[in-house]
Amino acid sequence: MMKKRIIGNRAKQILALALSTAMLSTLSLQTAFAASYIGSVSVTLDLDLVAGEGLPSLTTGYTGETGPEVKIPNNSRYEIEKVEWSKDVDEMEMGKTYNLKVTLDAQGDYEFKNTYSSSKVNVKGGTFVSARQGESSDELIVTLKTRKVEGVLDIPSDVDWQSTNSKNNKFGYATWDKVEDAAYDVDLYRDGKVVQRVDSIKKTSYNFYPYMTKEGDYSFRVRAVPSSTSMEDYATKSDWAYSDEFYLDEDDVSDGTGQGQEETADNTPNISNPEQVGWIASSGRWFFRYPDGTYLRDSWGKIGGVWYLFDSNGEMLTGWHNRNGHYYYMNGSGAMHTGWLLDQNVWYYLNPDGSMQTGWLTVGNQTYYMDESGAMVTGWKEVGGQFYYFYPDGHKAVNEVISGFYVDYNGIWHRP
C-alpha cells in the first residue's frame, strides 16, 4: 500500500510539471506574436507652393529621395498608404496654408496607438495638426499643415500725382492704389536723380512737396514690400511702378517747410518730448515707447505681466491675428486671450501660449474637437474616418447611447 501512494504522488508531480510547462509555452507563444506599438513617426513635406497655382500633385517616397512630395524614413515599421489634400483649391493664395492627410500603414506585427501628440509626430516642411487611428490599429491618419504659400506682391497701380497744379493744396502728393497686406517703398526723383526716399510706409500717398526745393522735372516710383518681418518669409517685394514727370518752375518750389515734420514714414506718432514714454495714445491707436525713443513693433511685448501684440508700425493690435502660422485673439484692451472664447456665437479655445487650438482638445476630464477653423464641434462628426457625438457644450460622448446609437469607451460609433 505504501508503494502505491508513492507512485500516485509521483504521477501528480509529473502532471503538474507538464501543465506548468504547457502554460509557459503558451505565454511565450502569445508574447512572440504580440504586436508592438509604434511610438513615433516622421513625415517630410517637400512641396513647391506658389501663389496663383493649383495645389501640387502628391507622390510618396523615402527621405533622401529626389522627387516625392511626401516622404518618410526608410523603415520596417510603417509605410505610406495614401496622401490627399483636405480640400480642393484651384488657386493658392500667398500667405495661406493648406492641410493634407497622410495615411500610414503599420507593417508586420506593429500597430498604431489611438492618438499621437505633436511630440510623437516629427514633421519637416510643415506643421502637425492631428493624428489618430483609422479604421483599425494598422492605420494612422496624420493631418499636416503646409508652410505659407510663397509669392510676389502685386505691382501698385494708378501711380500718379494727386495734383500738378501748385495752387492746389494736394500739390506734390504721390498716390497709388492699395496692394493687399503690403507696405510701400517710395522714391522721389528730380531730373532723374533720387532726392528723397521713404521706406515701408502703410499709406497709399505721401507728401513730397517739402522736398521739392529746386526747379526741375519731378517723378516718383513705388513698389509693394512685405509689411512685417514675418511676412518676409513668404512674400517677395514687387517691381517698381513709375509715375509721369511734371516740371516745377522756380516760382513754385518749396522753401523746405515741413521736412521731418510730416507724418512719420512708419506711421508712429511724431513725439518730440523724450520724456513721453510707455503707453501713448494717438488718433485712437495705442503705441508703447521706450526711453530711447524706439517703439515696440512687429513683435510681442509683455507689459505689466500681460502679453500684447504690435504691428510693424508699433500699433497695438486687437482681435484675431495670424502670427508665424498660429492664430491669436487680442481682446479690446489688447491683452492676449487664453482659454475658452465665444466670438460671434462660435466657441474657440486659446492655449496657454495664446495660440488657437485645432483638432482634439482635453480640458479637465472632458474631450472636445476643434475643426480646422478652430471652431468647437457639436453633434455628430466624422474625425479620421470614425464617427463621434459631441454634446451642445462640445464635450465628447463616451460609453453612451445617443438617439439609439451606441458609442464605445473611446466615443466611436461602430456600424452594426
Side-chain angles (χ1 to χ4, degrees):
M1 295 296 291
M2 180 65 72
K3 185 175 182 180
K4 289 182 179 180
R5 283 200 297 270
I6 294 174
I7 293 174
N9 289 337
R10 179 62 175 168
K12 291 179 180 179
Q13 291 173 354
I14 293 172
L15 179 61
L17 179 60
L19 290 172
S20 177
T21 302
M23 291 176 64
L24 288 173
S25 298
T26 302
L27 288 173
S28 297
L29 187 62
Q30 290 176 344
T31 301
F33 286 95
S36 298
Y37 283 114
I38 298 173
S40 63
V41 298
S42 297
V43 182
T44 297
L45 302 182
D46 188 7
L47 299 168
D48 185 17
L49 304 179
V50 180
E53 297 183 359
L55 291 170
S57 60
L58 296 172
T59 58
T60 63
Y62 296 104
T63 305
E65 293 181 349
T66 301
E69 284 79 16
V70 184
K71 308 173 186 179
I72 59 172
N74 197 347
N75 71 99
S76 60
R77 297 180 300 152
Y78 58 92
E79 292 183 351
I80 298 179
E81 179 179 323
K82 65 178 179 178
V83 293
E84 57 186 343
W85 292 105
S86 297
K87 293 181 181 179
D88 292 330
V89 175
D90 293 330
E91 291 187 3
M92 291 182 286
E93 298 180 40
M94 183 173 59
K96 296 286 187 179
T97 60
Y98 297 91
N99 285 8
L100 66 155
K101 294 182 179 180
V102 182
T103 302
L104 302 177
D105 183 33
Q107 301 295 298
D109 295 329
Y110 287 101
E111 292 182 358
F112 291 110
K113 298 177 182 179
N114 187 38
T115 60
Y116 287 78
S117 64
S118 59
S119 63
K120 299 300 181 181
V121 181
N122 180 36
V123 182
K124 293 183 179 179
T127 306
F128 172 82
V129 177
S130 64
R132 62 174 291 102
Q133 282 184 5
E135 295 181 356
S136 69
S137 60
D138 292 336
E139 190 176 78
L140 183 70
I141 301 174
V142 182
T143 302
L144 305 175
K145 182 184 295 183
T146 68
R147 290 174 175 168
K148 292 183 179 180
V149 176
E150 297 181 359
V152 179
L153 291 167
D154 292 336
I155 302 174
S157 58
D158 289 338
V159 177
D160 204 354
W161 295 103
Q162 192 158 345
S163 174
T164 56
N165 183 344
S166 62
K167 306 304 179 184
N168 190 305
N169 63 357
K170 290 297 183 182
F171 180 65
Y173 273 77
T175 64
W176 55 92
D177 281 351
K178 179 181 179 180
V179 175
E180 196 68 28
D181 296 328
Y184 310 94
D185 291 343
V186 196
D187 295 342
L188 174 68
Y189 284 82
R190 183 180 65 241
D191 297 332
K193 295 182 180 180
V194 176
V195 293
Q196 176 65 8
R197 281 183 169 152
V198 185
D199 295 329
S200 298
I201 64 171
K202 288 290 187 68
K203 299 174 64 176
T204 55
S205 66
Y206 193 83
N207 180 17
F208 277 123
Y209 183 64
Y211 301 94
M212 297 176 174
T213 56
K214 296 181 181 180
E215 67 174 316
D217 290 313
Y218 284 88
S219 64
F220 73 92
R221 67 177 185 174
V222 58
R223 67 180 175 187
V225 299
S227 59
S228 65
T229 54
S230 59
M231 190 176 176
E232 292 174 357
D233 293 337
Y234 59 86
T236 303
K237 55 193 173 187
S238 74
D239 289 335
W240 292 99
Y242 294 83
S243 75
D244 291 334
E245 286 186 341
F246 79 91
Y247 179 74
L248 180 65
D249 62 33
E250 185 68 28
D251 293 336
D252 294 324
V253 299
S254 170
D255 61 3
T257 300
Q259 289 187 13
Q261 298 178 16
E262 70 278 4
E263 64 273 21
T264 58
D266 59 9
N267 290 338
T268 54
N270 194 358
I271 304 297
S272 59
N273 180 5
E275 295 182 359
Q276 191 170 352
V277 297
W279 286 108
I280 296 174
S282 176
S283 302
R285 302 175 299 162
W286 284 96
F287 302 81
F288 192 84
R289 191 175 192 235
Y290 291 115
D292 63 0
T294 61
Y295 289 85
L296 241 176
R297 64 175 78 231
D298 195 25
S299 66
W300 292 95
K302 193 173 186 179
I303 304 169
V306 178
W307 284 102
Y308 299 86
L309 182 60
F310 298 82
D311 68 11
S312 59
N313 292 326
E315 180 180 351
M316 182 196 76
L317 299 174
T318 60
W320 287 105
H321 291 278
N322 188 307
R323 189 78 176 176
N324 298 325
H326 297 282
Y327 281 94
Y328 299 84
Y329 185 83
M330 322 306 290
N331 65 27
S333 68
M336 182 187 77
H337 189 92
T338 60
W340 289 105
L341 169 71
L342 181 62
D343 182 46
Q344 297 184 3
N345 293 320
V346 177
W347 282 102
Y348 301 86
Y349 188 84
L350 290 308
N351 292 307
D353 65 356
S355 61
M356 182 187 74
Q357 174 70 26
T358 59
W360 291 103
L361 167 69
T362 299
V363 179
N365 296 323
Q366 302 292 356
T367 300
Y368 305 81
Y369 190 80
M370 322 303 285
D371 67 17
E372 293 180 1
S373 71
M376 182 187 76
V377 169
T378 60
W380 289 102
K381 173 70 174 179
E382 182 181 7
V383 182
Q386 304 285 5
F387 281 89
Y388 302 83
Y389 182 81
F390 300 88
Y391 281 101
D393 67 355
H395 83 270
K396 182 181 71 173
V398 294
N399 192 30
E400 298 179 58
V401 176
I402 307 296
S403 301
F405 300 100
Y406 173 71
V407 292
D408 65 17
Y409 283 92
N410 292 316
I412 301 173
W413 168 71
H414 297 279
R415 183 182 296 275

